[in-house]
Amino acid sequence: MALIDELAEKLAADVMKAQLELGVDRLYVEVGNHIGTSSPSLQEAFLTACRLHLSEQRGRSFFEERLKALSAARKDAS
């Protein structure tokens, strides 16, 4: 259902942004639990979207650090 995915993604993006700004790394769990009291389907879609965002953030962080290390190694070799 497209509406569930759209709503879940928008809320997940907002929650992920707030988590980064506030330094609260489990806010999405609290929001997910609250959603689950009225819509388990939306809760599942929301938590999936949050996991995707978190995974992307971890992957991007690893990539950026690895890229720095490779660039530094290349400069040292020259």
mmCIF file of all heavy atoms in Angstrom, residues 7-37 39-40 42-58:
data_model
loop_
_atom_site.group_PDB
_atom_site.id
_atom_site.type_symbol
_atom_site.label_atom_id
_atom_site.label_comp_id
_atom_site.label_asym_id
_atom_site.label_seq_id
_atom_site.Cartn_x
_atom_site.Cartn_y
_atom_site.Cartn_z
ATOM 1 N N LEU A 7 3.724 7.643 4.173
ATOM 2 C CA LEU A 7 3.619 8.191 5.522
ATOM 3 C C LEU A 7 4.790 7.742 6.383
ATOM 4 O O LEU A 7 5.382 8.543 7.126
ATOM 5 C CB LEU A 7 2.297 7.763 6.166
ATOM 6 C CG LEU A 7 1.023 8.319 5.541
ATOM 7 C CD1 LEU A 7 -0.205 7.662 6.164
ATOM 8 C CD2 LEU A 7 0.962 9.836 5.701
ATOM 9 N N ALA A 8 5.117 6.462 6.301
ATOM 10 C CA ALA A 8 6.215 5.909 7.107
ATOM 11 C C ALA A 8 7.536 6.561 6.739
ATOM 12 O O ALA A 8 8.320 6.926 7.625
ATOM 13 C CB ALA A 8 6.283 4.400 6.913
ATOM 14 N N GLU A 9 7.793 6.728 5.451
ATOM 15 C CA GLU A 9 9.057 7.323 5.015
ATOM 16 C C GLU A 9 9.172 8.775 5.451
ATOM 17 O O GLU A 9 10.219 9.204 5.910
ATOM 18 C CB GLU A 9 9.201 7.204 3.494
ATOM 19 C CG GLU A 9 10.391 7.951 2.922
ATOM 20 C CD GLU A 9 11.718 7.593 3.569
ATOM 21 O OE1 GLU A 9 11.909 6.426 3.970
ATOM 22 O OE2 GLU A 9 12.573 8.491 3.696
ATOM 23 N N LYS A 10 8.111 9.540 5.314
ATOM 24 C CA LYS A 10 8.164 10.943 5.727
ATOM 25 C C LYS A 10 8.424 11.060 7.220
ATOM 26 O O LYS A 10 9.292 11.826 7.647
ATOM 27 C CB LYS A 10 6.862 11.658 5.364
ATOM 28 C CG LYS A 10 6.885 13.122 5.808
ATOM 29 C CD LYS A 10 5.853 13.948 5.155
ATOM 30 C CE LYS A 10 5.803 15.382 5.595
ATOM 31 N NZ LYS A 10 6.880 15.944 6.344
ATOM 32 N N LEU A 11 7.707 10.283 8.007
ATOM 33 C CA LEU A 11 7.915 10.327 9.452
ATOM 34 C C LEU A 11 9.309 9.831 9.812
ATOM 35 O O LEU A 11 9.991 10.427 10.656
ATOM 36 C CB LEU A 11 6.844 9.498 10.169
ATOM 37 C CG LEU A 11 6.898 9.509 11.698
ATOM 38 C CD1 LEU A 11 6.806 10.921 12.260
ATOM 39 C CD2 LEU A 11 5.785 8.629 12.258
ATOM 40 N N ALA A 12 9.759 8.763 9.174
ATOM 41 C CA ALA A 12 11.094 8.231 9.453
ATOM 42 C C ALA A 12 12.172 9.270 9.146
ATOM 43 O O ALA A 12 13.108 9.448 9.931
ATOM 44 C CB ALA A 12 11.338 6.957 8.653
ATOM 45 N N ALA A 13 12.052 9.952 8.030
ATOM 46 C CA ALA A 13 13.032 10.982 7.672
ATOM 47 C C ALA A 13 13.059 12.096 8.716
ATOM 48 O O ALA A 13 14.137 12.549 9.121
ATOM 49 C CB ALA A 13 12.720 11.551 6.288
ATOM 50 N N ASP A 14 11.886 12.507 9.171
ATOM 51 C CA ASP A 14 11.810 13.558 10.191
ATOM 52 C C ASP A 14 12.408 13.093 11.517
ATOM 53 O O ASP A 14 13.137 13.837 12.186
ATOM 54 C CB ASP A 14 10.357 13.996 10.409
ATOM 55 C CG ASP A 14 9.782 14.739 9.212
ATOM 56 O OD1 ASP A 14 10.558 15.175 8.337
ATOM 57 O OD2 ASP A 14 8.538 14.866 9.150
ATOM 58 N N VAL A 15 12.113 11.860 11.898
ATOM 59 C CA VAL A 15 12.629 11.318 13.163
ATOM 60 C C VAL A 15 14.144 11.152 13.082
ATOM 61 O O VAL A 15 14.858 11.487 14.027
ATOM 62 C CB VAL A 15 11.928 9.994 13.527
ATOM 63 C CG1 VAL A 15 12.612 9.314 14.707
ATOM 64 C CG2 VAL A 15 10.458 10.241 13.852
ATOM 65 N N MET A 16 14.647 10.657 11.966
ATOM 66 C CA MET A 16 16.097 10.488 11.813
ATOM 67 C C MET A 16 16.812 11.840 11.898
ATOM 68 O O MET A 16 17.864 11.957 12.515
ATOM 69 C CB MET A 16 16.425 9.823 10.474
ATOM 70 C CG MET A 16 15.971 8.391 10.354
ATOM 71 S SD MET A 16 16.851 7.279 11.472
ATOM 72 C CE MET A 16 15.560 6.934 12.647
ATOM 73 N N LYS A 17 16.229 12.855 11.285
ATOM 74 C CA LYS A 17 16.810 14.202 11.339
ATOM 75 C C LYS A 17 16.835 14.708 12.785
ATOM 76 O O LYS A 17 17.849 15.228 13.253
ATOM 77 C CB LYS A 17 16.007 15.152 10.456
ATOM 78 C CG LYS A 17 16.555 16.551 10.410
ATOM 79 C CD LYS A 17 15.736 17.446 9.496
ATOM 80 C CE LYS A 17 16.251 18.861 9.567
ATOM 81 N NZ LYS A 17 15.414 19.789 8.817
ATOM 82 N N ALA A 18 15.735 14.517 13.497
ATOM 83 C CA ALA A 18 15.667 14.954 14.894
ATOM 84 C C ALA A 18 16.674 14.198 15.757
ATOM 85 O O ALA A 18 17.317 14.787 16.633
ATOM 86 C CB ALA A 18 14.251 14.766 15.435
ATOM 87 N N GLN A 19 16.812 12.907 15.511
ATOM 88 C CA GLN A 19 17.774 12.115 16.280
ATOM 89 C C GLN A 19 19.181 12.658 16.123
ATOM 90 O O GLN A 19 19.915 12.782 17.104
ATOM 91 C CB GLN A 19 17.765 10.642 15.815
ATOM 92 C CG GLN A 19 16.663 9.849 16.387
ATOM 93 C CD GLN A 19 16.795 8.365 16.079
ATOM 94 O OE1 GLN A 19 15.910 7.656 16.460
ATOM 95 N NE2 GLN A 19 17.825 7.875 15.451
ATOM 96 N N LEU A 20 19.561 12.977 14.889
ATOM 97 C CA LEU A 20 20.895 13.518 14.649
ATOM 98 C C LEU A 20 21.082 14.871 15.319
ATOM 99 O O LEU A 20 22.110 15.136 15.929
ATOM 100 C CB LEU A 20 21.156 13.640 13.144
ATOM 101 C CG LEU A 20 21.388 12.333 12.404
ATOM 102 C CD1 LEU A 20 21.462 12.577 10.892
ATOM 103 C CD2 LEU A 20 22.656 11.654 12.885
ATOM 104 N N GLU A 21 20.078 15.725 15.196
ATOM 105 C CA GLU A 21 20.177 17.072 15.769
ATOM 106 C C GLU A 21 20.209 17.041 17.297
ATOM 107 O O GLU A 21 20.912 17.826 17.922
ATOM 108 C CB GLU A 21 19.000 17.929 15.297
ATOM 109 C CG GLU A 21 19.079 18.289 13.830
ATOM 110 C CD GLU A 21 17.844 19.024 13.325
ATOM 111 O OE1 GLU A 21 16.890 19.244 14.112
ATOM 112 O OE2 GLU A 21 17.822 19.357 12.122
ATOM 113 N N LEU A 22 19.426 16.130 17.905
ATOM 114 C CA LEU A 22 19.304 16.082 19.359
ATOM 115 C C LEU A 22 20.266 15.107 20.025
ATOM 116 O O LEU A 22 20.406 15.113 21.247
ATOM 117 C CB LEU A 22 17.863 15.722 19.748
ATOM 118 C CG LEU A 22 16.790 16.687 19.246
ATOM 119 C CD1 LEU A 22 15.409 16.116 19.515
ATOM 120 C CD2 LEU A 22 16.956 18.049 19.903
ATOM 121 N N GLY A 23 20.888 14.240 19.237
ATOM 122 C CA GLY A 23 21.792 13.245 19.803
ATOM 123 C C GLY A 23 21.067 12.148 20.578
ATOM 124 O O GLY A 23 21.614 11.578 21.508
ATOM 125 N N VAL A 24 19.827 11.876 20.194
ATOM 126 C CA VAL A 24 19.019 10.835 20.840
ATOM 127 C C VAL A 24 18.917 9.687 19.842
ATOM 128 O O VAL A 24 18.174 9.764 18.876
ATOM 129 C CB VAL A 24 17.609 11.364 21.206
ATOM 130 C CG1 VAL A 24 16.771 10.286 21.851
ATOM 131 C CG2 VAL A 24 17.715 12.585 22.090
ATOM 132 N N ASP A 25 19.668 8.610 20.098
ATOM 133 C CA ASP A 25 19.774 7.572 19.077
ATOM 134 C C ASP A 25 18.653 6.538 19.060
ATOM 135 O O ASP A 25 18.606 5.708 18.164
ATOM 136 C CB ASP A 25 21.126 6.865 19.178
ATOM 137 C CG ASP A 25 21.313 6.111 20.474
ATOM 138 O OD1 ASP A 25 20.514 6.282 21.402
ATOM 139 O OD2 ASP A 25 22.290 5.338 20.548
ATOM 140 N N ARG A 26 17.748 6.560 20.002
ATOM 141 C CA ARG A 26 16.660 5.577 20.036
ATOM 142 C C ARG A 26 15.276 6.224 19.988
ATOM 143 O O ARG A 26 14.278 5.590 20.313
ATOM 144 C CB ARG A 26 16.762 4.702 21.289
ATOM 145 C CG ARG A 26 18.081 3.978 21.469
ATOM 146 C CD ARG A 26 18.277 2.838 20.555
ATOM 147 N NE ARG A 26 17.399 1.753 20.940
ATOM 148 C CZ ARG A 26 17.277 0.634 20.270
ATOM 149 N NH1 ARG A 26 17.958 0.455 19.172
ATOM 150 N NH2 ARG A 26 16.466 -0.308 20.657
ATOM 151 N N LEU A 27 15.211 7.456 19.562
ATOM 152 C CA LEU A 27 13.918 8.141 19.447
ATOM 153 C C LEU A 27 12.983 7.379 18.521
ATOM 154 O O LEU A 27 11.784 7.283 18.775
ATOM 155 C CB LEU A 27 14.115 9.577 18.949
ATOM 156 C CG LEU A 27 12.858 10.425 18.750
ATOM 157 C CD1 LEU A 27 12.081 10.553 20.064
ATOM 158 C CD2 LEU A 27 13.227 11.791 18.194
ATOM 159 N N TYR A 28 13.532 6.797 17.460
ATOM 160 C CA TYR A 28 12.693 6.062 16.510
ATOM 161 C C TYR A 28 11.979 4.883 17.166
ATOM 162 O O TYR A 28 10.868 4.534 16.784
ATOM 163 C CB TYR A 28 13.499 5.617 15.289
ATOM 164 C CG TYR A 28 14.345 4.390 15.493
ATOM 165 C CD1 TYR A 28 13.889 3.140 15.083
ATOM 166 C CD2 TYR A 28 15.602 4.478 16.068
ATOM 167 C CE1 TYR A 28 14.667 2.007 15.257
ATOM 168 C CE2 TYR A 28 16.379 3.355 16.230
ATOM 169 C CZ TYR A 28 15.912 2.119 15.832
ATOM 170 O OH TYR A 28 16.684 0.997 16.007
ATOM 171 N N VAL A 29 12.601 4.282 18.178
ATOM 172 C CA VAL A 29 11.963 3.165 18.892
ATOM 173 C C VAL A 29 10.750 3.670 19.665
ATOM 174 O O VAL A 29 9.681 3.044 19.644
ATOM 175 C CB VAL A 29 12.972 2.468 19.831
ATOM 176 C CG1 VAL A 29 12.278 1.409 20.675
ATOM 177 C CG2 VAL A 29 14.114 1.862 19.033
ATOM 178 N N GLU A 30 10.909 4.799 20.334
ATOM 179 C CA GLU A 30 9.799 5.387 21.081
ATOM 180 C C GLU A 30 8.635 5.733 20.157
ATOM 181 O O GLU A 30 7.479 5.427 20.455
ATOM 182 C CB GLU A 30 10.256 6.646 21.825
ATOM 183 C CG GLU A 30 11.273 6.397 22.912
ATOM 184 C CD GLU A 30 11.747 7.692 23.537
ATOM 185 O OE1 GLU A 30 10.893 8.565 23.823
ATOM 186 O OE2 GLU A 30 12.965 7.840 23.720
ATOM 187 N N VAL A 31 8.950 6.368 19.035
ATOM 188 C CA VAL A 31 7.914 6.742 18.077
ATOM 189 C C VAL A 31 7.259 5.486 17.505
ATOM 190 O O VAL A 31 6.030 5.405 17.404
ATOM 191 C CB VAL A 31 8.484 7.626 16.947
ATOM 192 C CG1 VAL A 31 7.431 7.903 15.887
ATOM 193 C CG2 VAL A 31 9.027 8.934 17.518
ATOM 194 N N GLY A 32 8.060 4.495 17.177
ATOM 195 C CA GLY A 32 7.522 3.236 16.660
ATOM 196 C C GLY A 32 6.583 2.560 17.636
ATOM 197 O O GLY A 32 5.519 2.061 17.245
ATOM 198 N N ASN A 33 6.955 2.538 18.905
ATOM 199 C CA ASN A 33 6.079 1.945 19.920
ATOM 200 C C ASN A 33 4.762 2.702 20.026
ATOM 201 O O ASN A 33 3.699 2.101 20.184
ATOM 202 C CB ASN A 33 6.775 1.903 21.277
ATOM 203 C CG ASN A 33 7.882 0.875 21.320
ATOM 204 O OD1 ASN A 33 7.896 -0.079 20.543
ATOM 205 N ND2 ASN A 33 8.825 1.064 22.230
ATOM 206 N N HIS A 34 4.834 3.997 19.935
ATOM 207 C CA HIS A 34 3.622 4.805 20.014
ATOM 208 C C HIS A 34 2.715 4.551 18.805
ATOM 209 O O HIS A 34 1.498 4.415 18.949
ATOM 210 C CB HIS A 34 3.981 6.288 20.122
ATOM 211 C CG HIS A 34 2.827 7.160 20.440
ATOM 212 N ND1 HIS A 34 2.224 7.188 21.683
ATOM 213 C CD2 HIS A 34 2.138 8.025 19.666
ATOM 214 C CE1 HIS A 34 1.221 8.035 21.649
ATOM 215 N NE2 HIS A 34 1.145 8.559 20.444
ATOM 216 N N ILE A 35 3.316 4.464 17.630
ATOM 217 C CA ILE A 35 2.542 4.181 16.417
ATOM 218 C C ILE A 35 1.853 2.824 16.524
ATOM 219 O O ILE A 35 0.707 2.658 16.107
ATOM 220 C CB ILE A 35 3.453 4.196 15.167
ATOM 221 C CG1 ILE A 35 3.956 5.601 14.895
ATOM 222 C CG2 ILE A 35 2.712 3.662 13.945
ATOM 223 C CD1 ILE A 35 5.047 5.641 13.843
ATOM 224 N N GLY A 36 2.579 1.856 17.073
ATOM 225 C CA GLY A 36 2.065 0.493 17.151
ATOM 226 C C GLY A 36 0.798 0.343 17.949
ATOM 227 O O GLY A 36 0.038 -0.618 17.747
ATOM 228 N N THR A 37 0.514 1.279 18.819
ATOM 229 C CA THR A 37 -0.719 1.188 19.613
ATOM 230 C C THR A 37 -1.961 1.421 18.767
ATOM 231 O O THR A 37 -3.047 0.985 19.134
ATOM 232 C CB THR A 37 -0.715 2.196 20.782
ATOM 233 O OG1 THR A 37 -0.651 3.528 20.262
ATOM 234 C CG2 THR A 37 0.453 1.950 21.721
ATOM 235 N N SER A 39 -1.634 1.449 14.926
ATOM 236 C CA SER A 39 -1.505 0.863 13.594
ATOM 237 C C SER A 39 -0.236 0.021 13.495
ATOM 238 O O SER A 39 0.840 0.551 13.171
ATOM 239 C CB SER A 39 -1.486 1.950 12.517
ATOM 240 O OG SER A 39 -1.277 1.357 11.250
ATOM 241 N N PRO A 40 -0.339 -1.263 13.755
ATOM 242 C CA PRO A 40 0.824 -2.137 13.611
ATOM 243 C C PRO A 40 1.400 -2.128 12.182
ATOM 244 O O PRO A 40 2.607 -2.266 12.005
ATOM 245 C CB PRO A 40 0.290 -3.522 13.974
ATOM 246 C CG PRO A 40 -0.885 -3.252 14.854
ATOM 247 C CD PRO A 40 -1.485 -1.976 14.315
ATOM 248 N N LEU A 42 1.492 0.463 10.048
ATOM 249 C CA LEU A 42 2.308 1.669 9.911
ATOM 250 C C LEU A 42 3.569 1.548 10.751
ATOM 251 O O LEU A 42 4.650 1.964 10.329
ATOM 252 C CB LEU A 42 1.520 2.924 10.301
ATOM 253 C CG LEU A 42 2.268 4.248 10.149
ATOM 254 C CD1 LEU A 42 2.752 4.451 8.711
ATOM 255 C CD2 LEU A 42 1.387 5.414 10.583
ATOM 256 N N GLN A 43 3.467 0.959 11.919
ATOM 257 C CA GLN A 43 4.636 0.756 12.769
ATOM 258 C C GLN A 43 5.695 -0.066 12.033
ATOM 259 O O GLN A 43 6.872 0.287 12.022
ATOM 260 C CB GLN A 43 4.256 0.052 14.063
ATOM 261 C CG GLN A 43 5.442 -0.229 14.966
ATOM 262 C CD GLN A 43 5.074 -1.117 16.149
ATOM 263 O OE1 GLN A 43 4.226 -2.006 16.031
ATOM 264 N NE2 GLN A 43 5.697 -0.862 17.281
ATOM 265 N N GLU A 44 5.285 -1.148 11.414
ATOM 266 C CA GLU A 44 6.221 -2.002 10.697
ATOM 267 C C GLU A 44 6.888 -1.245 9.541
ATOM 268 O O GLU A 44 8.109 -1.315 9.357
ATOM 269 C CB GLU A 44 5.501 -3.230 10.162
ATOM 270 C CG GLU A 44 6.407 -4.204 9.454
ATOM 271 C CD GLU A 44 5.669 -5.444 8.972
ATOM 272 O OE1 GLU A 44 4.623 -5.795 9.543
ATOM 273 O OE2 GLU A 44 6.155 -6.048 8.012
ATOM 274 N N ALA A 45 6.097 -0.518 8.782
ATOM 275 C CA ALA A 45 6.649 0.251 7.667
ATOM 276 C C ALA A 45 7.591 1.347 8.166
ATOM 277 O O ALA A 45 8.656 1.589 7.584
ATOM 278 C CB ALA A 45 5.520 0.859 6.835
ATOM 279 N N PHE A 46 7.224 2.006 9.249
ATOM 280 C CA PHE A 46 8.044 3.060 9.838
ATOM 281 C C PHE A 46 9.374 2.501 10.326
ATOM 282 O O PHE A 46 10.442 3.058 10.041
ATOM 283 C CB PHE A 46 7.285 3.735 10.992
ATOM 284 C CG PHE A 46 8.131 4.629 11.840
ATOM 285 C CD1 PHE A 46 8.506 5.888 11.386
ATOM 286 C CD2 PHE A 46 8.558 4.230 13.095
ATOM 287 C CE1 PHE A 46 9.294 6.714 12.170
ATOM 288 C CE2 PHE A 46 9.346 5.053 13.886
ATOM 289 C CZ PHE A 46 9.712 6.304 13.421
ATOM 290 N N LEU A 47 9.337 1.400 11.063
ATOM 291 C CA LEU A 47 10.571 0.816 11.592
ATOM 292 C C LEU A 47 11.472 0.317 10.466
ATOM 293 O O LEU A 47 12.698 0.439 10.543
ATOM 294 C CB LEU A 47 10.256 -0.299 12.584
ATOM 295 C CG LEU A 47 9.626 0.177 13.899
ATOM 296 C CD1 LEU A 47 9.228 -1.012 14.759
ATOM 297 C CD2 LEU A 47 10.566 1.104 14.660
ATOM 298 N N THR A 48 10.877 -0.221 9.419
ATOM 299 C CA THR A 48 11.667 -0.631 8.261
ATOM 300 C C THR A 48 12.353 0.568 7.636
ATOM 301 O O THR A 48 13.552 0.527 7.320
ATOM 302 C CB THR A 48 10.786 -1.349 7.225
ATOM 303 O OG1 THR A 48 10.263 -2.542 7.820
ATOM 304 C CG2 THR A 48 11.561 -1.687 5.967
ATOM 305 N N ALA A 49 11.617 1.660 7.461
ATOM 306 C CA ALA A 49 12.200 2.878 6.891
ATOM 307 C C ALA A 49 13.321 3.410 7.783
ATOM 308 O O ALA A 49 14.372 3.828 7.291
ATOM 309 C CB ALA A 49 11.114 3.943 6.689
ATOM 310 N N CYS A 50 13.125 3.362 9.087
ATOM 311 C CA CYS A 50 14.161 3.827 10.020
ATOM 312 C C CYS A 50 15.413 2.960 9.924
ATOM 313 O O CYS A 50 16.533 3.475 9.903
ATOM 314 C CB CYS A 50 13.640 3.833 11.455
ATOM 315 S SG CYS A 50 12.446 5.134 11.779
ATOM 316 N N ARG A 51 15.226 1.651 9.864
ATOM 317 C CA ARG A 51 16.388 0.754 9.732
ATOM 318 C C ARG A 51 17.142 1.038 8.440
ATOM 319 O O ARG A 51 18.377 1.010 8.412
ATOM 320 C CB ARG A 51 15.952 -0.705 9.816
ATOM 321 C CG ARG A 51 15.586 -1.137 11.223
ATOM 322 C CD ARG A 51 15.395 -2.638 11.319
ATOM 323 N NE ARG A 51 14.248 -3.105 10.559
ATOM 324 C CZ ARG A 51 13.013 -3.189 11.019
ATOM 325 N NH1 ARG A 51 12.737 -2.825 12.254
ATOM 326 N NH2 ARG A 51 12.047 -3.639 10.245
ATOM 327 N N LEU A 52 16.425 1.324 7.380
ATOM 328 C CA LEU A 52 17.085 1.662 6.116
ATOM 329 C C LEU A 52 17.883 2.957 6.239
ATOM 330 O O LEU A 52 19.019 3.050 5.768
ATOM 331 C CB LEU A 52 16.058 1.775 4.992
ATOM 332 C CG LEU A 52 15.430 0.452 4.552
ATOM 333 C CD1 LEU A 52 14.262 0.714 3.607
ATOM 334 C CD2 LEU A 52 16.460 -0.443 3.894
ATOM 335 N N HIS A 53 17.293 3.959 6.880
ATOM 336 C CA HIS A 53 18.006 5.222 7.090
ATOM 337 C C HIS A 53 19.254 5.005 7.939
ATOM 338 O O HIS A 53 20.331 5.526 7.629
ATOM 339 C CB HIS A 53 17.104 6.254 7.773
ATOM 340 C CG HIS A 53 16.165 6.949 6.850
ATOM 341 N ND1 HIS A 53 16.514 8.070 6.135
ATOM 342 C CD2 HIS A 53 14.874 6.681 6.532
ATOM 343 C CE1 HIS A 53 15.483 8.476 5.411
ATOM 344 N NE2 HIS A 53 14.472 7.645 5.635
ATOM 345 N N LEU A 54 19.116 4.254 9.019
ATOM 346 C CA LEU A 54 20.255 4.003 9.899
ATOM 347 C C LEU A 54 21.358 3.234 9.177
ATOM 348 O O LEU A 54 22.545 3.538 9.327
ATOM 349 C CB LEU A 54 19.807 3.241 11.153
ATOM 350 C CG LEU A 54 18.923 4.023 12.110
ATOM 351 C CD1 LEU A 54 18.316 3.086 13.152
ATOM 352 C CD2 LEU A 54 19.707 5.137 12.783
ATOM 353 N N SER A 55 20.968 2.268 8.401
ATOM 354 C CA SER A 55 21.932 1.483 7.641
ATOM 355 C C SER A 55 22.655 2.353 6.618
ATOM 356 O O SER A 55 23.877 2.259 6.444
ATOM 357 C CB SER A 55 21.222 0.320 6.957
ATOM 358 O OG SER A 55 22.138 -0.475 6.267
ATOM 359 N N GLU A 56 21.921 3.218 5.950
ATOM 360 C CA GLU A 56 22.529 4.129 4.985
ATOM 361 C C GLU A 56 23.519 5.061 5.676
ATOM 362 O O GLU A 56 24.610 5.315 5.165
ATOM 363 C CB GLU A 56 21.447 4.938 4.258
ATOM 364 C CG GLU A 56 21.965 5.793 3.108
ATOM 365 C CD GLU A 56 22.489 7.156 3.523
ATOM 366 O OE1 GLU A 56 22.097 7.638 4.604
ATOM 367 O OE2 GLU A 56 23.293 7.736 2.776
ATOM 368 N N GLN A 57 23.156 5.556 6.861
ATOM 369 C CA GLN A 57 24.052 6.446 7.600
ATOM 370 C C GLN A 57 25.349 5.725 7.978
ATOM 371 O O GLN A 57 26.441 6.281 7.847
ATOM 372 C CB GLN A 57 23.360 6.974 8.860
ATOM 373 C CG GLN A 57 22.263 7.975 8.585
ATOM 374 C CD GLN A 57 21.439 8.294 9.823
ATOM 375 O OE1 GLN A 57 21.727 7.831 10.922
ATOM 376 N NE2 GLN A 57 20.377 9.062 9.636
ATOM 377 N N ARG A 58 25.221 4.487 8.440
ATOM 378 C CA ARG A 58 26.404 3.702 8.802
ATOM 379 C C ARG A 58 27.268 3.428 7.578
ATOM 380 O O ARG A 58 28.496 3.529 7.635
ATOM 381 C CB ARG A 58 25.991 2.377 9.442
ATOM 382 C CG ARG A 58 25.408 2.561 10.837
ATOM 383 C CD ARG A 58 25.109 1.221 11.479
ATOM 384 N NE ARG A 58 26.371 0.534 11.724
ATOM 385 C CZ ARG A 58 26.506 -0.781 11.794
ATOM 386 N NH1 ARG A 58 25.470 -1.579 11.621
ATOM 387 N NH2 ARG A 58 27.684 -1.326 12.020
#
